[in-house]
Amino acid sequence: MTLDDVADELYGLDPADFVRVRTERQKQARADGDKALAKDIGALRKPTTVGWVLNVLVRDAEDEVGDLFDLGEALREAQQHLSGATLRTLTKQRQRAVRALATRAAEIAADRGHEVGDDVTREVASSLGAALADPAVADDVRAGRLLGAVEYSGFGPLGLVAVPDTPEATPPEPSSPPEDDDAAQKKQAAKERKEREEARRHAEAELADARTGLDDAESALADATDRRDDARAEVERLREALEQAEEEAAAREHDVDEATAARDAADARVRNATTRLDRM
């Protein structure tokens, strides 16, 4: 049993089974005398719903995921040689492919007994888009061991995702009050949307931290329970040994009593024989 074997198993499991199986594998590693492996297994964190959906997607739809990432690689290579209109067309095609695969991921989750909402599906789609833009992220997704959603963290444009879906509109004339008001409203709406997104990311981070804390507490509880059970087993073993020793001591005490009585009888016979001899 290796850490890779355990990780592959755990991140393909139903989330409800993660902690239980992780604890079982820790016990197995300790029983095998591999304390370092047991510690590493205990450090494996339970994935969020988004992470789990992505992990089962690459397991159950490996070919479809591979086709999508191959498409993204081909489009990145072709980007420098295509016109803006062609890029916009390809971007729309890729976005449709991402949405279709995200929907497929939701179906796989449902087949495994977990209905996921639109928010999870959107985060799955966003993660797939990040993987298309960044080969390193794509490798992480392909590994099937994600803890949660992933984001594009590179510098520069986000590949084809940065290409607008529609042609650029003609800028409004500065002197037109209605268009200025519309621009201000759009700017305010974008600001509010960004604030909501930041608040959501913050809440998701807090949730992830809370889940990590829960996992750590559950792991610590499992370790403490193991130690308690081991101590109880040792106490029981010592009790049984004490009972056996007490029974053995009682048996030997009986032997001592019998040997003492035999010695006293023999001593009496010696004294009697000596007395008769003296009288002769």
Side-chain angles (χ1 to χ4, degrees):
M1 179 175 64
T2 67
L3 184 62
D4 281 339
D5 294 335
V6 176
D8 284 338
E9 177 187 16
L10 290 177
Y11 289 107
L13 290 174
D14 186 288
D17 296 329
F18 186 94
V19 173
R20 175 182 59 79
V21 176
R22 182 184 62 186
T23 301
E24 291 175 356
R25 297 298 172 264
Q26 278 186 285
K27 290 181 179 179
Q28 183 179 347
R30 283 196 293 267
D32 293 340
D34 196 336
K35 295 181 179 180
L37 177 59
K39 182 178 180 181
D40 290 340
I41 292 173
L44 295 174
R45 300 272 67 84
K46 181 180 177 180
T48 65
T49 299
V50 175
W52 174 75
V53 172
L54 287 164
N55 292 338
V56 296
L57 173 66
V58 299
R59 284 169 168 77
D60 291 9
E62 181 179 1
D63 291 341
E64 296 170 58
V65 173
D67 290 343
L68 180 67
F69 288 170
D70 290 343
L71 172 62
E73 182 178 354
L75 292 178
R76 282 197 305 273
E77 293 176 355
Q79 185 176 10
Q80 297 179 352
H81 308 289
L82 298 176
S83 65
T86 302
L87 284 175
R88 284 192 291 272
T89 299
L90 293 176
T91 296
K92 291 180 180 179
Q93 292 176 354
R94 195 182 71 168
Q95 288 172 342
R96 285 195 295 270
V98 167
R99 286 195 296 269
L101 194 54
T103 300
R104 173 71 177 128
E107 292 172 350
I108 291 174
D111 290 341
R112 288 176 173 241
H114 293 273
E115 297 286 346
V116 297
D118 292 340
D119 288 346
V120 171
T121 303
R122 281 194 295 269
E123 288 190 65
V124 169
S126 177
S127 298
L128 292 174
L132 286 175
D134 188 338
V137 176
D139 290 340
D140 290 339
V141 173
R142 280 194 180 101
R145 301 179 188 177
L146 295 175
L147 296 180
V150 292
E151 298 179 355
Y152 176 68
S153 58
F155 298 97
L158 184 59
L160 294 175
V161 176
V163 179
D165 290 339
T166 58
E168 296 182 357
T170 303
E173 292 292 335
S175 60
S176 174
E179 292 181 353
D180 285 343
D181 290 342
D182 184 58
Q185 291 175 0
K186 289 182 178 179
K187 183 176 180 181
Q188 180 63 27
K191 179 181 177 182
E192 293 175 354
R193 183 168 58 254
K194 182 178 179 181
E195 290 175 349
R196 287 195 300 271
E197 291 173 352
E198 290 177 352
R200 178 181 176 81
R201 284 195 294 270
H202 181 69
E204 288 175 342
E206 289 183 344
L207 175 60
D209 289 341
R211 283 174 172 164
T212 297
L214 175 60
D215 285 346
D216 290 341
E218 289 176 337
S219 180
L221 174 60
D223 289 340
T225 301
D226 286 345
R227 291 193 296 272
R228 181 203 63 189
D229 292 344
D230 290 343
R232 285 179 174 174
E234 180 65 11
V235 168
E236 186 62 27
R237 185 189 67 79
L238 291 174
R239 279 190 182 134
E240 292 177 355
L242 177 60
E243 290 177 359
Q244 291 177 357
E246 289 175 340
E247 291 175 357
E248 182 69 16
R252 299 290 77 79
E253 187 70 28
H254 179 70
D255 292 344
V256 168
D257 291 342
E258 289 184 344
T260 300
R263 191 273 320 265
D264 292 343
D267 184 60
R269 287 196 301 274
V270 168
R271 286 196 303 270
N272 292 335
T274 300
T275 300
R276 287 195 299 271
L277 181 62
D278 290 341
R279 289 176 181 175
M280 291 181 180

